Amino acid sequence: QFCMDVSGSMIGPRYDMAREAIESFTKAREGDAFGLTIFGSHQIRWIPLTKDLTAIRNAMPFANPEHQPIHMAGTQIGAALKFCHDNMLQEAAEGDRLIVLVSDGSSSDLGAGQENEIADMLVAAKITVYHIHVAED
């Protein structure tokens, strides 16, 4: 499952890098099933699990942070990972479980141990997380 940050800091070149990374990944993984969740301050299940990866590529222009409502401006990575975890448990009954987190930075809802709780939850569900960091640093 792709978990893409569409917060305000992702406008411009960062979004372009994120879109290109997801499009390249889907072209390399034809035959696998993926879904797309976008997040900022809230999460939206944009595309459910599908083997039609052109659906994800075609959805990317609509995921552009420039087109998101103001309530998506913040970054809540922890909540997004929990949201993806819950969706994957419902949709991905068999096969490998993978979250590809695409974001440019830190999150206000991680720290003080929440990150360890989320990591433990993902490990227990046998979900692997990869992070594509799209930022200048």
Side-chain angles (χ1 to χ4, degrees):
Q1 186 171 162
F2 294 102
C3 184
M4 183 177 171
D5 183 349
V6 295
S7 65
S9 64
M10 290 289 289
I11 291 174
R14 292 179 181 187
Y15 167 73
D16 294 336
M17 287 187 289
R19 179 186 44 80
E20 290 170 13
I22 290 173
E23 288 174 354
S24 295
F25 196 95
T26 59
K27 289 176 183 172
R29 300 300 302 213
E30 288 290 344
D32 287 344
F34 280 93
L36 174 64
T37 294
I38 62 172
F39 74 95
S41 300
H42 302 278
Q43 313 81 43
I44 300 171
R45 185 72 165 127
W46 203 256
I47 298 185
L49 193 63
T50 180
K51 287 189 176 187
D52 180 7
L53 300 184
T54 60
I56 293 173
R57 292 191 291 271
N58 291 336
M60 295 312 296
F62 302 100
N64 189 327
E66 293 179 5
H67 305 302
Q68 302 306 315
I70 192 67
H71 67 272
M72 293 294 277
T75 306
Q76 298 268 326
I77 293 173
L81 289 172
K82 290 178 187 177
F83 185 80
C84 289
H85 166 273
D86 294 346
N87 285 326
M88 291 189 79
L89 290 182
Q90 292 176 357
E91 293 181 355
E94 58 185 49
D96 296 331
R97 294 178 177 168
L98 169 69
I99 295 173
V100 180
L101 172 66
V102 184
S103 179
D104 66 346
S106 62
S107 176
S108 62
D109 69 340
L110 294 175
Q114 295 103 318
E115 66 280 3
N116 293 328
E117 291 173 20
I118 294 168
D120 291 344
M121 178 182 65
L122 293 165
V123 167
K126 298 181 181 175
I127 297 173
T128 301
V129 177
Y130 286 94
H131 180 211
I132 298 175
H133 185 79
V134 290
E136 294 78 27
D137 58 355

